[in-house]
Amino acid sequence: TSPTPGPAPATWARGIEGQRKADLGNGMFLNPIVPGDHPDPSILKDGRDYYMTFSSFDAYPGLVIWHSRDLVNWQPVGPTLTRNVGSVWAPDLVKHNGRYYIYFPGIGKTYRSNYVIWADRITGPWSDPIDLKVGRIDPGHTADEAGNRFLFLSGGYMVSLAPDGLSVTSEPRVVYDGWQYPDDWVVEGFAQEGPKMLRRDGYYYQVLAEGGTAGPPTSHMVIVARAKQLAGPWENSPYNAVIRT
């Protein structure tokens, strides 16, 4: 006897130009929600609204903001970065004390640094990029309970920010050594990067990547650590790696 056939696989809805649409119109959706080259998404919840931006690499105008109310249907708001400071890698879109900020690395041929742009409205106008004159990549913004502001960077580094968030006020220092995966895992490199910072129930959390991004295909992973103080000590999750390719 033949097996009972299951439901037909879902297919993407189509837009006005035939492009894929994630929302199937029946309460279900299919990934990718935003097709194309949109890596390193940084998502901000702002009231009922969600905003997102991505690495824009060498495309200018760059750091395009997208908007959604349901995390499935996204529309571009517009670019935020017009002055070329190099290839734009993983950004962090944040709102602090009513003002919007994007922290991001700019990777030039002979100079690399981290930058910030800001705006009082998500639609702009956005400021010119301000050079923070600090190295590493993948800045992740956070603030402690007293309102002091910090950036976390690749390699477990932390640096203090001025109250306006537009300059650094300390030398970078390592406060987190990452999570050591088993010796027999085949990875591109340790590559501790991409910290995204949260504060919840008396703990600070960072969600970050290890293992490299270029392969082998078993290497890339997501890990989590938490601490009572931003300077540590940081406690690794017993469930690491929480996601692994």
Side-chain angles (χ1 to χ4, degrees):
T1 59
S2 299
T4 302
T11 57
W12 283 279
R14 296 289 172 177
I16 192 171
E17 294 180 330
Q19 70 272 29
R20 290 178 301 182
K21 290 177 60 179
D23 192 342
L24 302 181
N26 59 0
M28 306 291 287
F29 68 91
L30 284 178
N31 283 319
I33 54 170
V34 181
D37 191 15
H38 297 95
D40 307 321
S42 178
I43 303 174
L44 168 66
K45 186 179 189 299
D46 187 19
R48 295 179 56 206
D49 299 289
Y50 297 92
Y51 297 102
M52 176 164 58
T53 192
F54 311 85
S55 295
S56 50
F57 300 118
D58 296 300
Y60 282 84
L63 290 173
V64 176
I65 298 285
W66 291 63
H67 171 256
S68 177
R69 282 280 174 87
D70 60 9
L71 293 175
V72 174
N73 296 284
W74 293 86
Q75 296 293 325
V77 174
T80 61
L81 178 65
T82 56
R83 184 163 69 82
N84 193 323
V85 293
S87 185
V88 174
W89 293 3
D92 197 24
L93 170 64
V94 300
K95 186 179 184 181
H96 184 81
N97 288 342
R99 177 169 283 180
Y100 300 92
Y101 301 82
I102 303 177
Y103 293 91
F104 63 95
I107 312 300
K109 290 183 178 179
T110 59
Y111 179 75
R112 66 166 59 190
S113 189
N114 282 273
Y115 297 82
V116 60
I117 55 177
W118 62 270
D120 288 320
R121 295 178 298 169
I122 195 73
T123 54
W126 285 81
S127 73
D128 279 341
I130 299 167
D131 188 353
L132 297 173
K133 296 181 174 61
V134 63
R136 317 301 300 182
I137 59 171
D138 300 352
H141 175 275
T142 192
D144 65 16
E145 292 182 348
N148 301 306
R149 303 174 67 176
F150 302 87
L151 282 185
F152 276 66
L153 300 154
S154 61
Y157 282 81
M158 182 181 78
V159 63
S160 301
L161 290 172
D164 64 5
L166 303 182
S167 62
V168 300
T169 58
S170 73
E171 292 295 320
R173 62 189 178 110
V174 175
V175 296
Y176 173 57
D177 294 327
W179 176 73
Q180 186 54 60
Y181 42 79
D183 290 340
D184 60 351
W185 286 17
V186 180
V187 302
E188 179 192 8
F190 192 69
Q192 180 186 331
E193 59 189 358
K196 299 299 181 187
M197 310 302 298
L198 309 166
R199 190 172 77 221
R200 182 180 178 87
D201 296 336
Y203 280 95
Y204 299 97
Y205 290 82
Q206 53 178 313
V207 182
L208 63 153
E210 284 184 358
T213 58
T218 56
S219 69
H220 207 29
M221 67 191 83
V222 176
I223 66 168
V224 179
R226 70 179 185 177
K228 290 286 190 178
Q229 305 292 332
L230 286 169
W234 287 86
E235 170 194 4
N236 284 307
S237 168
Y239 306 107
N240 284 339
V242 295
I243 301 173
R244 180 188 172 205
T245 56

